[in-house]
Amino acid sequence: SWREIILEEFFALQLHLNMSYSEVHRLPIRYRRWYLDRLKRHFEDKNKAYEKSNQPIKPNKNSNDGDLFSRFESQVKNKLT
């Protein structure tokens, strides 16, 4: 129902933006929708960054050394010496 949709919007704004019910209620509809669209874009961007950071590291094909740990170890040694 339309009431449930409105309450879901109110809930999302209250939860993520710490707005009170009366603040959300007084917002013009176009501003409320803008905030909801912006929150959606924010979380999509955050999820993409999370997925990108959790992709496995592929070894460099140009390297003679295919073992990632030994490559990491040699990089650390080079930086410390």
Side-chain angles (χ1 to χ4, degrees):
S1 83
W2 63 271
R3 287 182 185 162
E4 190 169 337
I5 292 170
I6 291 172
L7 289 174
E8 287 290 339
E9 291 178 355
F10 279 35
F11 175 77
L13 293 175
Q14 289 174 312
L15 179 67
H16 296 293
L17 299 180
N18 296 323
M19 298 175 87
S20 69
Y21 180 85
S22 60
E23 289 172 327
V24 176
H25 191 266
R26 281 182 277 165
L27 273 176
I29 293 172
R30 82 182 113 166
Y31 291 137
R32 189 172 73 222
R33 293 292 161 101
W34 184 89
Y35 278 113
L36 291 167
D37 290 340
R38 186 61 182 94
L39 272 174
K40 179 182 172 190
R41 188 169 40 140
H42 167 75
F43 285 116
E44 286 172 348
D45 293 346
K46 200 172 180 179
N47 285 339
K48 285 178 189 174
Y50 178 77
E51 289 171 0
K52 185 178 177 182
S53 70
N54 283 336
Q55 290 179 350
I57 299 171
K58 296 178 183 175
N60 188 351
K61 292 180 181 178
N62 297 331
S63 174
N64 295 334
D65 169 16
D67 183 23
L68 289 176
F69 182 74
S70 61
R71 280 186 26 213
F72 172 74
E73 189 177 34
S74 66
Q75 289 176 352
V76 170
K77 285 179 183 178
N78 288 338
K79 295 226 183 234
L80 295 177
T81 58

